[in-house]
Structure formats: C-alpha cells, structure tokens
Amino acid sequence: MRSNKPLRTGEQQPREDSSRKKIPREDWTQETGAATALVIGLLVFGLLAALSVAMWAVSAADQARAKTAADLAALAAADAHRGVISAGNPCALAATIAAKHESELTTCTLLVGEGATVRIVTKAHRSGWFKGWPLPAMQAESYAGPPTIEEAE
C-alpha cells in the first residue's frame, strides 16, 4: 500500500516488501562473531589440507625409496646368484644394499630354473616429518635375473 501523500524533494517512496524483515540500524552493531568462526574454520581446513598434501608427498617419496631399494637389491642379488660378482650370499648382499637406501629387506627368494632369478621385497619406513608416526611402511617388490638375449634372424 502506498500512501497518496506528495513526496518532498529528494524523498523516495518507501517500499513495502513483506518478505524482508526490517532490522533497525542499531542492531547491526551487535556483532556476534560469525566472521571469527568462519576465519577459524577456513584456517583449520587449510591446515588439514596442507597436512594431507604433505603426507601424500612423503608417502610418494617413501614408495619411490622402497622401489629403488628393491630394484637395486634384486639386481645385485641376481648378479651374485649367477656368480657374476663374488659377494657371497646373494640375500646378505641384497640386505646390505637395501639398508644403504634406508629400507629393510623383508623377503629374499632365490628362484632356480631357467636362469638365476631373484625375488626381493623391501619395506621403507616413514621418513622426514612423519618419522615415528603410526603410519604403515611402504613395501615394494622386484625381480631380477639374467639378461635375455634374442638371436637376430
């Protein structure tokens, strides 16, 4: 409902919108701290996101370290098993190589048959900031044996 009173210069016709509540100006100064809670929530979310990215990066590095240790230990053990290098026990050599790469040799299997193949499984425990955290160790498996030579026709 609009009144039929004439408007003064610079005066606007008041709107009547029943869906909006009219808040008195003095109530706007009554801050309840909603922005503070929002900022704290965003900071906590950001910290959790950064922590999860850091954990993923350390996990990827630990997995790469375990795989590198398994590959190198398998190659050295296969060479020792075939007699290419005289290092004694192939599994002891594999354990030494894995230890130099901050990994632990969990399985060393010498497969007999066609060529001297070796199966190595290593485990790399957490490193960096997450060392000592109750997170599972990264495990990697690798096989190595004599090179295959194909005859040219």
Side-chain angles (χ1 to χ4, degrees):
M1 293 184 187
R2 292 192 177 183
S3 65
N4 292 333
K5 287 199 257 177
L7 296 175
R8 295 183 197 162
T9 308
E11 194 176 42
Q12 295 180 354
Q13 183 71 28
R15 292 187 198 171
E16 290 191 24
D17 188 1
S18 61
S19 65
R20 292 186 181 180
K21 292 181 180 179
K22 293 184 180 180
I23 301 173
R25 180 101 173 136
E26 59 272 2
D27 286 349
W28 291 0
T29 61
Q30 309 268 330
E31 178 62 38
T32 59
T36 304
L38 177 66
V39 168
I40 289 173
L42 288 174
L43 285 175
V44 168
F45 177 75
L47 287 174
L48 288 176
L51 182 64
S52 64
V53 167
M55 288 179 74
W56 173 80
V58 168
S59 295
D62 290 342
Q63 180 64 39
R65 188 166 37 93
K67 186 61 178 166
T68 300
D71 289 343
L72 294 176
L75 287 171
D79 286 346
H81 187 47
R82 287 183 317 157
V84 174
I85 57 173
S86 58
N89 184 1
C91 291
L93 178 62
T96 303
I97 299 291
K100 286 184 180 181
H101 290 277
E102 299 176 3
S103 295
E104 172 188 344
L105 181 68
T106 56
T107 305
C108 176
T109 308
L110 303 175
L111 305 171
V112 196
E114 215 178 290
T117 305
V118 177
R119 176 183 174 261
I120 298 291
V121 178
T122 60
K123 185 186 294 186
H125 295 284
R126 297 295 173 171
S127 63
W129 296 344
F130 300 105
K131 192 172 192 172
W133 282 35
L135 298 170
M138 294 302 198
Q139 200 166 3
E141 180 178 8
S142 185
Y143 288 88
T148 55
I149 301 172
E150 295 180 14
E151 295 182 20
E153 292 181 21

